Amino acid sequence: MNYFWDLFLGGLTRGSIYALIALGYTMVYGILQLINFAHGEIYMIGAFTALIVASMLTMQGLTGLSVLILATIVAVLYAAAYGFTVEKIAYKPLRQASRLSPLISAIGMSIFLQNYVMLAQTSDFLPFPNLLPQLNFLDSISSVIAPSDFIIIATSTAVMIALTVLLKFTKMGKAMRATAQDQTMAMLTGVNVNRVISRTFIIGSALAAVGGILIASHVGRINFYIGFNAGIKAFTAAVLGGIGSVPGAVLGGLVLGLAESFGTGYISSDYESVFAFALLILILIFKPDGILGRSSQ
Amino acid sequence: MKYACELKRSIYIALWFILLTFPIMVVKVNTIENVIVWRWINIAGIGVGAFVLSFFWQLYLRKKMTSQQTAPEKVSILNRLIENQKIYRLALFIAGIFALIFPFVFSHYQVNIMTTALIYVMLGLGLNIEVGLAGLLDLGYVAFYAVGAYSYALLNYHFGLGFWTLLPVSALLAAFFGILVGFPVLRLRGDYLAIVTLAFAEILRLVLENWNDFSFGPSGISNIPRPGFFGMNLTLEQSAIYMYFLLIALCGLTIFVTYRLQHSRIGRAWVALREDELACQATGIDKTKAKLTAFALGAMWAGIAGVLFAAKTTFINPASFTFMESAMILSIVVLGGMGSIPGIILAALAIILLPEYLRVFSDYRMILFGAALIIMMIFRPGGLMADRRKQYEFHRSDIINKS
């Protein structure tokens, strides 16, 4: 039972990070019908920026919570700025082009950003400091749940609730939902579609940066290539839940995380990703639009 | 001043990029020795680069705005050249001669590179059946390539069968795998199909990597025999030349077959499927059959290319079959212009050969490749040579002559 609980928590932790990144995919897809392959790279850049800022601050003598907060703010801002710029360069000129052109451009952007970070920084793994705070009250529950797991799950839940509120109750969220439903109609009712698209990229990228910091602190090392794997997993999660659907992305992320965790725990640890992908194929065979996806018919 | 507005914008954009790239380009932390290296010089490069690029981009936009009203439907120079029968035949003739004398003029190294490029021509043409003609976005094409390569290597290792026996066997196995992948994705549309094919490819690669008893794991299989030539013992250089001609012949076959397929009944069914699935079904086309044949035929060429790859390098391991490879092949198809055979050949040669000859920039190869993909898509979204459907034109004189 204890083993089961450990695996369950591990899956939940992993899944909530997948969900954070998957949200960026699903929001962009909902509006542009574009698989934003560069999203994983934004997540990687977020983690790198956090590492750089955190190391600079630590060398200035700062410690503890202030490092975490400053590094997170800077990383989120930078990731958002990168997301914004990527959209302006690689996708905006291609709005009218056929479906495949933005996809290729996205793959190009992903390769570009990976190599940009590799050339400007390093191709080796860098140790990532554990930025997660050591909270005293968590020690009392550490027999049930590891503190870092708790922080990751709590943070991502909070971020996701904030996103839901933003989408449901603000004017901006309404504009975003309207654009996702019908771009032309939204434009007719006075929604500035270009601005909505920019904001979608900014929000998605900011979420990815949060995910990046959490997972980098958890794993303890990063390199320029981490975005690729995380990106593919998160995209899988988004599709699993039904791409374009925000609750679907969260559900997909959690299901994927749990499947990987139980798969590695009970069957074999070599085939971690195989479980994720096999589950994806199985679910799509029976539900071609994902778990919560809108039917195409 | 004429360009004041553009200059001002470019300065802002340059400042934005300096800010954007600051932490990654300028700061480099060494966490072990606790030192920060400041590389201020990079700021200048980024600033000037961003300024110049954005200035030209805005000039381009302005020019496009003013010329938009007058420009008729543009046909690219390459397209116009190829449609001119005389030039087309001449170009074909020159290309043929060049292909024939190539291995005798250039060095062993260059013959090898060209052979690799020809393998990609085959892969591009094969994927073109799936993506370009049938509109099935396949992000896991490399799986079929891997099936071909591994079935040659493994069947040869275990049963000692030769190249010529295994070439058709591997092609069939790959086609079978194509159908296997095709079945579950029949009901999926667009991007779901893309991710499922990607998932299949990743599963296959991970299995090859981890199932040591079956596939020898990450260390791969070495000492795969090169194809035999009537039992003769060839030196390394001779066999490279032999391999080259073999690929020329097989590429010729691929071109012939895909060309014939494109204009056949099934080819037209694929195009109909790509354009509109519902309308296609309504005209009585068997959707299932059309999709599965597209998968099977596309996979078959990848299988053949896989066998040739294994035979050429004599060593394979799972690292050769990553998603990057799929992305590369897909880029070939899209850059060449989907559905356009000459375009894809040109794109495959360009994508494989250019980086080889740009070894000077070897560190910057991939970053340039990424940038090139984006730039190509912005300026020529239809690819190098967009495929133009056969047009049937109505000439009054035809009718008058007949009657």
Side-chain angles (χ1 to χ4, degrees):
Chain A
M1 188 61 208
N2 219 349
Y3 186 54
F4 175 85
W5 180 245
D6 281 348
L7 289 179
F8 180 76
L9 279 179
L12 221 52
T13 310
R14 192 192 288 241
S16 51
I17 292 174
Y18 287 156
L20 273 182
I21 310 168
L23 283 169
Y25 275 110
T26 225
M27 288 190 339
V28 167
Y29 190 90
I31 288 181
L32 287 180
Q33 276 78 48
L34 160 74
I35 305 172
N36 179 13
F37 259 102
H39 193 62
E41 268 54 58
I42 302 281
Y43 147 93
M44 179 266 296
I45 285 176
F48 254 97
T49 314
L51 171 69
I52 290 166
V53 174
S55 322
M56 279 167 70
L57 291 173
T58 330
M59 283 174 208
Q60 302 301 316
L62 287 170
T63 45
L65 211 57
S66 56
V67 174
L68 171 71
I69 292 171
L70 279 174
T72 309
I73 290 174
V74 175
V76 165
L77 284 179
Y78 262 97
Y82 269 96
F84 172 81
T85 315
V86 162
E87 193 266 330
K88 285 275 180 279
I89 293 176
Y91 309 137
K92 195 168 173 229
L94 295 173
R95 288 277 163 77
Q96 312 302 331
S98 74
R99 291 278 318 277
L100 270 178
S101 305
L103 182 76
I104 296 292
S105 171
I107 292 175
M109 190 44 108
S110 161
I111 297 172
F112 181 87
L113 288 176
Q114 266 178 27
N115 286 277
Y116 154 70
V117 173
M118 184 190 82
L119 291 172
Q121 293 286 325
T122 171
S123 56
D124 303 326
F125 269 99
L126 290 176
F128 197 92
N130 189 1
L131 295 173
L132 302 181
Q134 308 296 322
L135 299 175
N136 285 329
F137 72 92
L138 284 178
D139 290 341
S140 53
I141 56 165
S142 62
S143 57
V144 188
I145 174 169
S148 67
D149 283 355
F150 177 81
I151 293 171
I152 288 174
I153 294 171
T155 317
S156 33
T157 314
V159 170
M160 283 182 247
I161 289 173
L163 179 73
T164 316
V165 170
L166 181 95
L167 284 178
K168 276 253 149 71
F169 300 110
T170 63
K171 208 171 170 186
M172 184 169 121
K174 213 177 196 176
M176 283 166 89
R177 282 182 290 142
T179 314
Q181 265 180 15
D182 189 333
Q183 220 176 77
T184 323
M185 194 62 212
M187 225 185 280
L188 282 175
T189 53
V191 173
N192 185 341
V193 171
N194 276 332
R195 192 179 294 162
V196 167
I197 293 172
S198 285
R199 282 180 179 167
T200 310
F201 272 87
I202 289 173
I203 295 171
S205 307
L207 295 179
V210 174
I213 297 167
L214 288 176
I215 206 166
S217 292
H218 191 60
V219 176
R221 54 180 206 156
I222 56 173
N223 77 346
F224 73 96
Y225 203 62
I226 55 166
F228 177 75
N229 253 323
I232 289 216
K233 288 290 174 54
F235 179 53
T236 308
V239 174
L240 194 63
I243 195 156
S245 141
V246 170
V250 177
L251 187 67
L254 293 180
V255 169
L256 199 70
L258 289 173
E260 278 191 7
S261 189
F262 285 124
T264 45
Y266 284 120
I267 306 172
S268 160
S269 59
D270 289 339
Y271 293 99
E272 183 189 289
S273 304
V274 172
F275 300 117
F277 293 130
L279 180 77
L280 173 85
I281 293 170
L282 269 182
I283 288 190
L284 285 186
I285 289 172
F286 295 109
K287 275 196 75 78
D289 290 296
I291 304 173
L292 293 179
R294 274 174 296 178
S295 169
S296 52
Q297 254 85 51
Chain B
M1 207 174 110
K2 200 176 159 194
Y3 298 120
C5 172
E6 278 90 352
L7 280 175
K8 211 170 115 192
R9 271 197 66 127
S10 303
I11 289 174
Y12 284 136
I13 290 174
L15 286 176
W16 170 253
F17 273 96
I18 288 176
L19 191 73
L20 193 67
T21 51
F22 181 78
I24 289 183
M25 288 297 284
V26 176
V27 188
K28 185 167 185 176
V29 288
N30 189 333
T31 40
I32 298 157
E33 287 161 30
N34 272 340
V35 280
I36 302 176
V37 185
W38 299 87
R39 299 166 296 176
W40 294 106
I41 187 76
N42 286 343
I43 276 194
I46 291 282
V48 173
F51 179 79
V52 171
L53 285 180
S54 83
F55 185 68
F56 280 113
W57 171 244
Q58 282 172 53
L59 284 190
Y60 169 78
L61 279 187
R62 182 198 257 195
K63 208 179 132 204
K64 205 173 156 193
M65 287 280 262
T66 48
S67 66
Q68 207 160 41
Q69 288 89 358
T70 49
E73 193 205 349
K74 271 194 214 157
V75 181
S76 80
I77 304 171
L78 282 171
N79 271 102
R80 257 179 293 167
L81 278 182
I82 218 162
E83 270 157 36
N84 184 333
Q85 281 297 325
K86 250 187 196 160
I87 296 177
Y88 182 58
R89 289 216 180 106
L90 190 70
L92 262 186
F93 183 70
I94 293 173
I97 295 285
F98 181 74
L100 280 182
I101 62 168
F102 183 84
F104 305 109
V105 178
F106 291 93
S107 67
H108 175 61
Y109 170 70
Q110 273 161 346
V111 173
N112 263 333
I113 296 172
M114 191 50 111
T115 314
T116 312
L118 289 172
I119 290 179
Y120 279 89
V121 169
M122 267 180 95
L123 287 169
L125 290 172
L127 184 61
N128 181 41
I129 295 176
E130 286 178 30
V131 180
L133 297 182
L136 303 163
L137 178 53
D138 185 346
L139 288 182
Y141 192 62
V142 78
F144 309 134
Y145 187 38
V147 168
Y150 265 91
S151 39
Y152 173 49
L154 286 175
L155 289 175
N156 176 272
Y157 180 83
H158 291 297
F159 304 108
L161 297 172
F163 176 83
W164 290 108
T165 330
L166 287 176
L167 188 68
V169 172
S170 307
L172 282 179
L173 273 174
F176 177 71
F177 191 74
I179 294 175
L180 212 68
V181 174
F183 254 116
V185 303
L186 279 177
R187 287 170 63 202
L188 304 176
R189 66 203 157 84
D191 304 289
Y192 288 93
L193 193 133
I195 186 75
V196 169
T197 48
L198 195 158
F200 264 114
E202 283 292 294
I203 290 178
L204 183 76
R205 187 179 64 83
L206 289 164
V207 168
L208 288 177
E209 213 158 74
N210 288 307
W211 193 0
N212 287 318
D213 304 333
F214 171 70
S215 65
F216 303 98
S219 49
I221 305 168
S222 46
N223 290 328
I224 301 166
R226 296 196 171 82
F229 185 60
F230 302 113
M232 280 161 66
N233 275 331
L234 297 175
T235 62
L236 207 62
E237 272 183 33
Q238 280 170 330
S239 77
I241 293 174
Y242 173 46
M243 202 68 210
Y244 169 82
F245 278 116
L246 192 63
L247 262 154
I248 288 276
L250 282 169
C251 274
L253 181 73
T254 320
I255 294 166
F256 177 73
V257 172
T258 44
Y259 180 78
R260 297 290 293 178
L261 270 175
Q262 198 167 354
H263 297 289
S264 70
R265 196 182 164 80
I266 186 81
R268 278 175 284 137
W270 287 334
V271 174
L273 192 72
R274 175 185 78 189
E275 298 296 330
D276 190 331
E277 251 189 75
L278 264 180
C280 160
Q281 264 183 305
T283 54
I285 293 167
D286 187 346
K287 200 175 82 176
T288 313
K289 205 174 108 191
K291 276 190 182 175
L292 285 181
T293 44
F295 264 111
L297 284 170
M300 192 186 84
W301 291 114
I304 296 175
V307 175
L308 291 165
F309 172 72
K312 174 181 173 286
T313 55
T314 70
F315 167 74
I316 51 169
N317 72 346
S320 311
F321 306 104
T322 55
F323 170 69
M324 267 314 295
E325 210 68 14
S326 291
M328 194 87 114
I329 304 167
L330 185 66
S331 318
I332 287 174
V333 175
V334 179
L335 284 184
M338 290 199 302
S340 145
I341 294 174
I344 288 167
I345 297 170
L346 216 64
L349 294 179
I351 283 191
I352 306 303
L353 295 183
L354 279 184
E356 292 294 339
Y357 291 114
L358 292 177
R359 282 276 174 205
V360 200
F361 306 104
S362 58
D363 286 347
Y364 300 95
R365 250 166 26 142
M366 284 317 278
I367 199 168
L368 288 177
F369 177 59
L373 285 185
I374 303 170
I375 293 167
M376 268 300 289
M377 284 302 106
I378 291 173
F379 290 101
R380 304 215 38 172
L384 284 173
M385 268 186 236
D387 181 39
R388 296 216 299 151
R389 299 273 289 281
K390 256 191 185 156
Q391 284 174 347
Y392 298 96
E393 278 171 34
F394 174 71
H395 294 294
R396 224 186 162 80
S397 54
D398 292 351
I399 299 177
I400 295 167
N401 288 343
K402 267 181 201 159
S403 59

